[in-house]
Amino acid sequence: MPLLAFKADERMVELIDELKNSTDSASRAEAIRQAIKLYKIVTDIKQAGGRLGVLDEKGEVVKELIVP
């Protein structure tokens, strides 16, 4: 597996650390992996029409995510 190395300014490191803390990730790398997985889900939703609904047990939409 190739190793990735990139430069990050101070603000980017702060954002990664915030993500690490909010997701209880064990490392910055794990926080970045989780963020990339979420980004992939959001872009898939956008490509599929931009809407994702959360249904209740009756099949009624209780929440909807719209990705512009």
Side-chain angles (χ1 to χ4, degrees):
M1 176 183 294
L3 294 176
L4 300 175
F6 62 92
K7 293 182 180 180
D9 62 16
E10 186 176 330
R11 179 64 182 139
M12 183 58 63
V13 173
E14 289 173 4
L15 291 171
I16 294 169
D17 285 340
E18 286 177 22
L19 182 62
K20 179 180 171 277
N21 293 334
S22 67
T23 60
D24 292 326
S25 296
S27 66
R28 288 177 175 157
E30 180 60 29
I32 292 169
R33 281 191 288 274
Q34 289 185 27
I36 291 170
K37 288 177 187 177
L38 178 59
Y39 181 80
K40 174 70 172 125
I41 292 167
V42 171
T43 56
D44 286 350
I45 292 168
K46 183 175 182 176
Q47 289 177 353
R51 300 177 87 163
L52 174 72
V54 177
L55 307 178
D56 65 10
E57 57 278 348
K58 297 177 186 176
E60 308 266 336
V61 176
V62 293
K63 291 185 182 182
E64 186 173 33
L65 172 66
I66 300 173
V67 180

